[in-house]
Amino acid sequence: MMIWRTEHIVQETNFYTYVQARERENQSLHYSNTVAIVGGGPKGLYALNHFINQLKLYPTSKYFKILWFNQDKLFGCGPNYDIHQPDYLLINYCIGHVQAFHPDYRDYENQKSFVDWLTAVKTIDTPVAPTDFASRALVGRYLQWVATETTRNLPTNVQLELISQPVTTITYQDIKVMVETQTGAWEVDSLLLATGHCYQNSPLVHHPEIPAAHYIRAAYPVSQFAAIPPQEHVGVVGLGLTFIDIALALTEGRGGVFSHGQYKPTGKEPVIYPFSRTSLPICCRGPQYHAQRPLFLMTDAWFRTLMDRSAKIDFLTEVLPSIEKEVQLAYYSVLIGSTDLQAILKKIKCVPKEERFTLKDLLQPSLGSEEEIVSYIQMNIEEAHKGEDKSPRMAAAAVWGKICPWIADLYRTVGYTGASQQQLDSYYFGAFNRVSYGPPIANMEKIYALAKAGIIRFCAFQNPKVRWQTRQQTFLIQDPSGLEIQVATLIDARIGRPALQKKNAFFYDNLLQQGLIKQHENEGYSPGTLSMDKHGKCTTINNVPVYCYGSNTEGVFFDNDTLSRTKNNTACYWVEETLKDR
């Protein structure tokens, strides 16, 4: 398996510089329609591509000005795929899945998948395989190429303006929306909010005397960790993908070398203590690209019967039991080497009930010490190398990835009851993602090597509490059993999610205070996002198309933190309404 990095390609001019150079060549025209996209990451790029392609397919005499806002100049890639970030930060799925173009426009633009693009621009002889992996910076280069291709031949009646300023608020005036930054305001006829990861987590500890350098509330950019001294004890809140990035930044990013399963330190490393509510580490996975093993119960036909329902679905009683059965069937199917349902059921019946592999075994392994956590990581690496066809555990973990598109469709259309949606959002979504959507094997092998080298010290905490000790200038982390550690620096590796009730996003907090938006609510449960319809349109602003796309739709839509061009694509509805009277 090859891991592709930016050093393997011809470096091109970044998208922002390209557009600015073109803009100086264009003459100013009078534009009868002005539209705005807020957010310069992949979702904003996809929306821009939809808009321009629709104008090419259905020409109009109207003139359109597109204002594309972003907090910085990383248009097209956004912070997640920042082209300047270190190459040891990888995507967590194989590159064969990366396609930033929409299939509807394949006959109208120069489309290349990531694999095709990489094959064209690579500078080494190694062939590109869809099962390879890549750095996030390299994917960012691809996204910026897609942005360049999208704008290379704009229709003559379209002008694109890039505004690299954070949007602070919007105001609503009859049939117009005013988009405001700290230094300016723009009146627009239509607005798409593709604001991405703009949410903060609630602080784990409140104390006015904590030095900012000791409590790092956001993990990116990883360059900020350079100020952490060698040998310092560092606590990391969370054991997911972000934790891996932090660990690599503090080791490989300081010159350490991984070789043949071992880590060669430089002496510049701190000691890293990761922990979470459960202290369960994320599970790695191999390249899942080829045809997958079939499902036994939760077939397309099974899901379609639920899609035809008029009443909301109780996830806990109507879906989860089938997932439990499907996970068990997948496990024993590989164990006995058969896809015959009756043979699998016979095998399960022969296993004593207390010894049968269950969903709980997959999601909630009992890990009571650092040694057990490290052994669990080692076991998972070995199973991931075997793959879904040879590892019963990996086959069981793969079930979620297969049914997730249907889970998301039910979430958006029929809907789940409020109480069961809350359980899905707060527990099952994260638990399934931990075992099904983990990092590539190579990254987890590095975490294992760092644990063996004593640089990562896993803490088997359960629901720990964090307290700042002013006299010692350290954080005390302690769980109910009495386990405790002291660290000088605390890094929050959790990913913030929409939470209007917690006021965790400056922009949306401003809109809520103005009364422009309200919280989405489902039978008494408020997931934290703003109220929108099933097309992503804001329900509280009339007469102006104001839509949401991406992470800001979580709670109404499901699992949007993805590069997918087609999943939960609300941008197409925004474009359709914006251009309906063209």
Side-chain angles (χ1 to χ4, degrees), residues 117-151:
W117 169 82
L118 181 55
T119 300
V121 300
K122 67 184 178 72
T123 57
I124 60 176
D125 293 334
T126 306
V128 181
T131 51
D132 290 340
F133 284 82
S135 71
R136 293 210 294 271
L138 183 59
V139 175
R141 287 285 180 184
Y142 166 67
L143 292 169
Q144 290 217 334
W145 175 81
V146 173
T148 300
E149 286 300 307
T150 297
T151 58

Short mmCIF file of all heavy atoms in Angstrom, two decimals, residues 117-151:
data_model
loop_
_atom_site.label_atom_id
_atom_site.label_comp_id
_atom_site.label_asym_id
_atom_site.label_seq_id
_atom_site.Cartn_x
_atom_site.Cartn_y
_atom_site.Cartn_z
N TRP A 117 -6.46 12.16 -11.38
CA TRP A 117 -5.66 13.39 -11.26
C TRP A 117 -4.25 13.08 -10.78
O TRP A 117 -3.27 13.58 -11.34
CB TRP A 117 -6.36 14.35 -10.31
CG TRP A 117 -5.54 15.53 -9.90
CD1 TRP A 117 -5.36 16.68 -10.60
CD2 TRP A 117 -4.77 15.67 -8.69
NE1 TRP A 117 -4.53 17.54 -9.90
CE2 TRP A 117 -4.15 16.94 -8.73
CE3 TRP A 117 -4.55 14.85 -7.59
CZ2 TRP A 117 -3.33 17.40 -7.71
CZ3 TRP A 117 -3.73 15.30 -6.57
CH2 TRP A 117 -3.13 16.57 -6.63
N LEU A 118 -4.15 12.23 -9.75
CA LEU A 118 -2.85 11.90 -9.20
C LEU A 118 -1.98 11.18 -10.23
O LEU A 118 -0.77 11.43 -10.34
CB LEU A 118 -3.02 11.04 -7.95
CG LEU A 118 -1.75 10.61 -7.20
CD1 LEU A 118 -0.91 11.82 -6.82
CD2 LEU A 118 -2.11 9.80 -5.97
N THR A 119 -2.60 10.32 -11.03
CA THR A 119 -1.87 9.63 -12.09
C THR A 119 -1.28 10.62 -13.09
O THR A 119 -0.18 10.42 -13.61
CB THR A 119 -2.80 8.64 -12.81
OG1 THR A 119 -3.29 7.67 -11.86
CG2 THR A 119 -2.09 7.92 -13.94
N ALA A 120 -2.02 11.71 -13.33
CA ALA A 120 -1.57 12.70 -14.31
C ALA A 120 -0.48 13.62 -13.78
O ALA A 120 0.36 14.10 -14.55
CB ALA A 120 -2.77 13.53 -14.77
N VAL A 121 -0.45 13.89 -12.47
CA VAL A 121 0.47 14.91 -11.94
C VAL A 121 1.64 14.33 -11.14
O VAL A 121 2.55 15.06 -10.76
CB VAL A 121 -0.29 15.94 -11.06
CG1 VAL A 121 -1.37 16.63 -11.87
CG2 VAL A 121 -0.88 15.27 -9.82
N LYS A 122 1.65 13.02 -10.87
CA LYS A 122 2.71 12.44 -10.04
C LYS A 122 4.06 12.52 -10.76
O LYS A 122 4.14 12.50 -12.00
CB LYS A 122 2.38 11.00 -9.68
CG LYS A 122 2.37 10.01 -10.83
CD LYS A 122 1.93 8.63 -10.35
CE LYS A 122 1.86 7.64 -11.48
NZ LYS A 122 3.17 7.23 -11.98
N THR A 123 5.11 12.59 -9.96
CA THR A 123 6.46 12.73 -10.52
C THR A 123 7.31 11.48 -10.30
O THR A 123 8.50 11.48 -10.61
CB THR A 123 7.18 13.93 -9.88
OG1 THR A 123 7.21 13.75 -8.45
CG2 THR A 123 6.47 15.23 -10.23
N ILE A 124 6.70 10.42 -9.75
CA ILE A 124 7.44 9.17 -9.56
C ILE A 124 6.77 8.07 -10.38
O ILE A 124 5.62 8.20 -10.81
CB ILE A 124 7.50 8.77 -8.06
CG1 ILE A 124 6.08 8.58 -7.50
CG2 ILE A 124 8.25 9.81 -7.26
CD1 ILE A 124 6.07 8.09 -6.04
N ASP A 125 7.49 6.97 -10.59
CA ASP A 125 7.01 5.91 -11.48
C ASP A 125 5.99 4.98 -10.81
O ASP A 125 5.34 4.19 -11.49
CB ASP A 125 8.18 5.07 -11.98
CG ASP A 125 9.10 5.87 -12.91
OD1 ASP A 125 8.60 6.83 -13.54
OD2 ASP A 125 10.29 5.55 -12.98
N THR A 126 5.87 5.03 -9.50
CA THR A 126 4.95 4.14 -8.79
C THR A 126 3.53 4.29 -9.33
O THR A 126 3.01 5.41 -9.40
CB THR A 126 4.95 4.45 -7.28
OG1 THR A 126 6.29 4.39 -6.80
CG2 THR A 126 4.08 3.46 -6.52
N PRO A 127 2.88 3.20 -9.73
CA PRO A 127 1.50 3.31 -10.22
C PRO A 127 0.55 3.65 -9.08
O PRO A 127 0.79 3.33 -7.92
CB PRO A 127 1.21 1.91 -10.78
CG PRO A 127 2.16 1.01 -10.08
CD PRO A 127 3.40 1.82 -9.81
N VAL A 128 -0.53 4.33 -9.44
CA VAL A 128 -1.54 4.73 -8.46
C VAL A 128 -2.61 3.66 -8.39
O VAL A 128 -3.16 3.24 -9.41
CB VAL A 128 -2.18 6.08 -8.84
CG1 VAL A 128 -3.22 6.50 -7.79
CG2 VAL A 128 -1.11 7.15 -8.99
N ALA A 129 -2.91 3.20 -7.17
CA ALA A 129 -3.95 2.19 -6.97
C ALA A 129 -5.08 2.79 -6.13
O ALA A 129 -4.84 3.58 -5.22
CB ALA A 129 -3.38 0.97 -6.25
N PRO A 130 -6.33 2.42 -6.41
CA PRO A 130 -7.46 2.97 -5.64
C PRO A 130 -7.42 2.58 -4.17
O PRO A 130 -8.05 3.23 -3.34
CB PRO A 130 -8.69 2.39 -6.34
CG PRO A 130 -8.19 1.21 -7.12
CD PRO A 130 -6.79 1.53 -7.49
N THR A 131 -6.65 1.55 -3.82
CA THR A 131 -6.55 1.12 -2.43
C THR A 131 -5.42 1.83 -1.68
O THR A 131 -5.17 1.53 -0.51
CB THR A 131 -6.34 -0.40 -2.35
OG1 THR A 131 -5.25 -0.76 -3.22
CG2 THR A 131 -7.59 -1.14 -2.77
N ASP A 132 -4.72 2.75 -2.35
CA ASP A 132 -3.69 3.54 -1.68
C ASP A 132 -4.33 4.57 -0.75
O ASP A 132 -5.54 4.82 -0.81
CB ASP A 132 -2.82 4.26 -2.71
CG ASP A 132 -1.93 3.32 -3.50
OD1 ASP A 132 -1.69 2.18 -3.04
OD2 ASP A 132 -1.46 3.71 -4.60
N PHE A 133 -3.48 5.19 0.07
CA PHE A 133 -3.92 6.29 0.93
C PHE A 133 -3.14 7.55 0.55
O PHE A 133 -2.20 7.50 -0.24
CB PHE A 133 -3.71 5.95 2.41
CG PHE A 133 -4.74 4.99 2.95
CD1 PHE A 133 -4.60 3.61 2.74
CD2 PHE A 133 -5.84 5.44 3.64
CE1 PHE A 133 -5.55 2.72 3.23
CE2 PHE A 133 -6.79 4.56 4.13
CZ PHE A 133 -6.65 3.20 3.93
N ALA A 134 -3.54 8.68 1.13
CA ALA A 134 -2.89 9.95 0.78
C ALA A 134 -2.93 10.90 1.97
O ALA A 134 -3.74 10.76 2.89
CB ALA A 134 -3.60 10.58 -0.41
N SER A 135 -2.04 11.88 1.91
CA SER A 135 -2.06 12.92 2.93
C SER A 135 -3.23 13.86 2.68
O SER A 135 -3.70 14.02 1.54
CB SER A 135 -0.75 13.71 2.91
OG SER A 135 -0.66 14.52 1.76
N ARG A 136 -3.68 14.52 3.74
CA ARG A 136 -4.79 15.46 3.58
C ARG A 136 -4.35 16.68 2.77
O ARG A 136 -5.16 17.27 2.05
CB ARG A 136 -5.32 15.87 4.95
CG ARG A 136 -5.99 14.71 5.69
CD ARG A 136 -7.09 15.19 6.61
NE ARG A 136 -6.61 15.99 7.72
CZ ARG A 136 -6.23 15.49 8.89
NH1 ARG A 136 -6.26 14.18 9.09
NH2 ARG A 136 -5.83 16.29 9.85
N ALA A 137 -3.09 17.06 2.90
CA ALA A 137 -2.59 18.19 2.10
C ALA A 137 -2.65 17.88 0.61
O ALA A 137 -2.96 18.75 -0.20
CB ALA A 137 -1.16 18.53 2.51
N LEU A 138 -2.36 16.63 0.24
CA LEU A 138 -2.41 16.24 -1.17
C LEU A 138 -3.86 16.26 -1.67
O LEU A 138 -4.14 16.71 -2.78
CB LEU A 138 -1.79 14.87 -1.37
CG LEU A 138 -1.72 14.37 -2.82
CD1 LEU A 138 -0.90 15.34 -3.68
CD2 LEU A 138 -1.12 12.97 -2.89
N VAL A 139 -4.80 15.78 -0.85
CA VAL A 139 -6.21 15.86 -1.23
C VAL A 139 -6.62 17.32 -1.39
O VAL A 139 -7.39 17.68 -2.28
CB VAL A 139 -7.10 15.15 -0.19
CG1 VAL A 139 -8.58 15.34 -0.51
CG2 VAL A 139 -6.76 13.66 -0.15
N GLY A 140 -6.07 18.19 -0.54
CA GLY A 140 -6.33 19.63 -0.68
C GLY A 140 -5.85 20.17 -2.01
O GLY A 140 -6.51 21.01 -2.63
N ARG A 141 -4.69 19.69 -2.48
CA ARG A 141 -4.19 20.09 -3.80
C ARG A 141 -5.17 19.66 -4.90
O ARG A 141 -5.42 20.39 -5.86
CB ARG A 141 -2.82 19.47 -4.05
CG ARG A 141 -1.70 20.10 -3.24
CD ARG A 141 -1.31 21.44 -3.80
NE ARG A 141 -0.23 22.07 -3.04
CZ ARG A 141 0.24 23.29 -3.29
NH1 ARG A 141 -0.27 24.00 -4.28
NH2 ARG A 141 1.19 23.80 -2.55
N TYR A 142 -5.71 18.46 -4.75
CA TYR A 142 -6.70 17.98 -5.73
C TYR A 142 -7.94 18.87 -5.70
O TYR A 142 -8.46 19.28 -6.75
CB TYR A 142 -7.07 16.53 -5.41
CG TYR A 142 -8.30 16.02 -6.12
CD1 TYR A 142 -8.33 15.86 -7.51
CD2 TYR A 142 -9.45 15.71 -5.40
CE1 TYR A 142 -9.46 15.38 -8.15
CE2 TYR A 142 -10.59 15.23 -6.04
CZ TYR A 142 -10.60 15.08 -7.41
OH TYR A 142 -11.73 14.61 -8.05
N LEU A 143 -8.44 19.19 -4.51
CA LEU A 143 -9.63 20.02 -4.40
C LEU A 143 -9.40 21.41 -5.01
O LEU A 143 -10.29 21.97 -5.66
CB LEU A 143 -10.05 20.14 -2.93
CG LEU A 143 -10.56 18.85 -2.28
CD1 LEU A 143 -10.68 19.03 -0.77
CD2 LEU A 143 -11.89 18.42 -2.88
N GLN A 144 -8.21 21.95 -4.83
CA GLN A 144 -7.92 23.25 -5.43
C GLN A 144 -7.83 23.14 -6.95
O GLN A 144 -8.21 24.07 -7.67
CB GLN A 144 -6.64 23.83 -4.84
CG GLN A 144 -6.80 24.26 -3.38
CD GLN A 144 -6.03 25.51 -3.04
OE1 GLN A 144 -5.02 25.84 -3.67
NE2 GLN A 144 -6.51 26.23 -2.04
N TRP A 145 -7.36 22.01 -7.45
CA TRP A 145 -7.38 21.80 -8.90
C TRP A 145 -8.81 21.75 -9.41
O TRP A 145 -9.13 22.32 -10.46
CB TRP A 145 -6.65 20.50 -9.26
CG TRP A 145 -6.75 20.17 -10.72
CD1 TRP A 145 -6.00 20.69 -11.74
CD2 TRP A 145 -7.68 19.27 -11.33
NE1 TRP A 145 -6.40 20.16 -12.95
CE2 TRP A 145 -7.44 19.29 -12.73
CE3 TRP A 145 -8.70 18.46 -10.85
CZ2 TRP A 145 -8.18 18.53 -13.63
CZ3 TRP A 145 -9.44 17.69 -11.73
CH2 TRP A 145 -9.17 17.73 -13.12
N VAL A 146 -9.69 21.08 -8.67
CA VAL A 146 -11.10 21.02 -9.06
C VAL A 146 -11.70 22.42 -9.07
O VAL A 146 -12.46 22.79 -9.98
CB VAL A 146 -11.89 20.12 -8.08
CG1 VAL A 146 -13.39 20.18 -8.37
CG2 VAL A 146 -11.41 18.67 -8.19
N ALA A 147 -11.35 23.23 -8.07
CA ALA A 147 -11.84 24.61 -8.02
C ALA A 147 -11.35 25.40 -9.24
O ALA A 147 -12.11 26.18 -9.84
CB ALA A 147 -11.39 25.28 -6.73
N THR A 148 -10.09 25.19 -9.60
CA THR A 148 -9.53 25.88 -10.76
C THR A 148 -10.25 25.46 -12.03
O THR A 148 -10.60 26.31 -12.88
CB THR A 148 -8.02 25.59 -10.88
OG1 THR A 148 -7.36 26.04 -9.70
CG2 THR A 148 -7.43 26.30 -12.09
N GLU A 149 -10.49 24.17 -12.20
CA GLU A 149 -11.21 23.69 -13.38
C GLU A 149 -12.63 24.24 -13.42
O GLU A 149 -13.15 24.55 -14.49
CB GLU A 149 -11.24 22.16 -13.38
CG GLU A 149 -9.92 21.51 -13.73
CD GLU A 149 -9.43 21.91 -15.11
OE1 GLU A 149 -10.20 21.77 -16.09
OE2 GLU A 149 -8.28 22.37 -15.21
N THR A 150 -13.25 24.35 -12.26
CA THR A 150 -14.62 24.85 -12.18
C THR A 150 -14.71 26.30 -12.67
O THR A 150 -15.69 26.69 -13.32
CB THR A 150 -15.13 24.77 -10.73
OG1 THR A 150 -15.16 23.39 -10.33
CG2 THR A 150 -16.52 25.36 -10.58
N THR A 151 -13.70 27.08 -12.38
CA THR A 151 -13.75 28.51 -12.71
C THR A 151 -12.95 28.88 -13.96
O THR A 151 -12.90 30.04 -14.34
CB THR A 151 -13.21 29.33 -11.52
OG1 THR A 151 -11.87 28.93 -11.21
CG2 THR A 151 -14.08 29.12 -10.30
#
